Amino acid sequence: MAGRSYDRAITVFSPDGHLFQVEYAQEAVLKGNTAVGVRGNDVVVIGVEKRSAAKLQDPRTIRKICPLDSHVCLAFAGLTADARVLVDKAQLQCQSHRLTVEDPVTVDFITRYVASVKQKYTQSNGRRPFGVSTLVVGFDPDGTPRLYQTDPQGTYAAWKANAIGRSGKTVREFLEKHYTDEIAASERETMKLAVKGLLEVVQSGAKNIELAVMRRNQPLTELSAEEIEELAKEIEEDKIREEQEKKSGKGGAAKE
């Protein structure tokens, strides 16, 4: 029974150095829908697996990609109610920064703010950690594209491409194999890589994918279902072309 008390105390370490409530918050993230972010040279792409809505539910009320300011946005995996609180705090901080400093926030600044809020909730009695991981993307005032990830414990890091949520590990491994500087140099290929990663784990195909693109000096643009379907068709055509090239290559080698 003594060991079980560490499960309930957020501010007490277990003898082997664990904060179990923080680890349980991470488990809540692993039950959330997958989200992926890919950073290109001139664009940042963020995509999420859409949850199937009830027949009479308005799907527009289910939001996994949330703008924080005109140049930065956030996608999340985990508890939606927790994410809503974090998004409200981050949006308010962006507005406060503009009013106080008369400059927009950098992506690093707002990411550190989100991570700091999460970390405070791991050190206070009467609270619990946020059951949310986030991908924060955007452009700094100097035009540099950024992609950050935050975890329930309050850590954050910059990435070229990353994924969070239920199948985040699978998608991350896919991105590690396929992300290249050549892909990052092309806006279209960067978008296709994000869709490819989600298609690895989304069973019902492109219709259950939500994709948004942020370009330098432009607000966030959400792609329509038709545009996402077009990307999926291009990906399928690329696969067929690669298979044909492999077959022709093997045929040529056999003749030699």
Side-chain angles (χ1 to χ4, degrees):
M1 285 297 291
R4 291 190 59 82
S5 64
Y6 297 109
D7 288 81
R8 294 188 286 272
I10 179 61
T11 58
V12 179
F13 284 95
S14 68
D16 55 353
H18 290 272
L19 285 172
F20 286 116
Q21 288 298 318
V22 177
E23 294 182 10
Y24 296 158
Q26 186 61 42
E27 290 299 315
V29 171
L30 296 177
K31 295 182 184 299
N33 289 1
T34 308
V36 60
V38 182
R39 190 190 78 198
N41 293 350
D42 301 300
V43 68
V44 188
V45 182
I46 199 160
V48 296
E49 175 188 2
K50 282 199 298 188
R51 187 179 65 188
S52 55
K55 186 176 181 180
L56 300 179
Q57 186 178 19
D58 186 347
R60 293 174 299 177
T61 60
I62 305 172
R63 307 291 297 173
K64 293 284 185 180
I65 300 175
C66 310
L68 301 181
D69 204 339
S70 59
H71 65 296
V72 59
C73 76
L74 175 153
F76 66 89
L79 301 179
T80 302
D82 286 16
R84 187 180 68 245
V85 173
L86 267 181
V87 168
D88 288 346
K89 287 178 179 289
Q91 288 174 338
L92 186 61
Q93 181 65 25
C94 288
Q95 295 169 20
S96 176
H97 190 278
R98 278 185 181 271
L99 287 170
T100 306
V101 187
E102 297 184 357
D103 277 320
V105 296
T106 62
V107 185
D108 178 79
F109 176 89
I110 197 62
T111 302
R112 277 189 287 115
Y113 173 79
V114 170
S116 296
V117 171
K118 289 184 176 185
Q119 196 277 334
K120 287 177 183 175
Y121 276 69
T122 68
Q123 282 189 302
S124 304
N125 284 317
R127 296 178 174 182
R128 63 163 176 78
F130 285 92
V132 175
S133 277
T134 66
L135 293 174
V136 185
V137 305
F139 283 85
D140 283 342
D142 65 358
T144 306
R146 302 289 186 188
L147 166 63
Y148 288 89
Q149 180 209 352
T150 71
D151 286 327
Q153 59 264 41
T155 58
Y156 74 97
W159 294 76
K160 294 180 179 178
N162 198 8
I164 55 177
R166 180 168 49 233
S167 303
K169 183 179 179 182
T170 302
V171 178
R172 192 180 308 114
E173 290 172 353
F174 175 86
L175 294 171
E176 287 172 354
K177 290 179 182 177
H178 294 87
Y179 184 94
T180 64
D181 292 338
E182 290 75 18
I183 286 176
S186 167
E187 178 182 314
R188 192 72 177 176
E189 291 302 318
T190 303
M191 294 163 62
K192 285 163 68 173
L193 181 62
V195 174
K196 282 180 186 177
L198 285 172
L199 287 175
E200 289 289 304
V201 297
V202 176
Q203 301 299 324
S204 51
K207 67 179 182 179
N208 269 9
I209 290 176
E210 185 179 346
L211 200 71
V213 179
M214 186 171 285
R215 302 174 178 88
R216 186 177 285 112
N217 298 322
Q218 295 183 32
L220 183 73
T221 303
E222 294 191 21
L223 273 65
S224 65
E226 292 75 18
E227 290 173 312
I228 297 172
E229 193 65 45
E230 185 180 335
L231 284 168
K233 286 181 181 177
E234 285 185 28
I235 291 167
E236 192 61 36
E237 290 170 0
D238 290 344
K239 283 184 181 178
I240 294 171
R241 193 181 305 111
E242 286 174 8
E243 289 175 2
Q244 290 175 343
E245 288 174 357
K246 285 181 182 178
K247 287 180 182 178
S248 61
K250 288 180 181 177
K255 288 179 182 178
E256 291 176 4

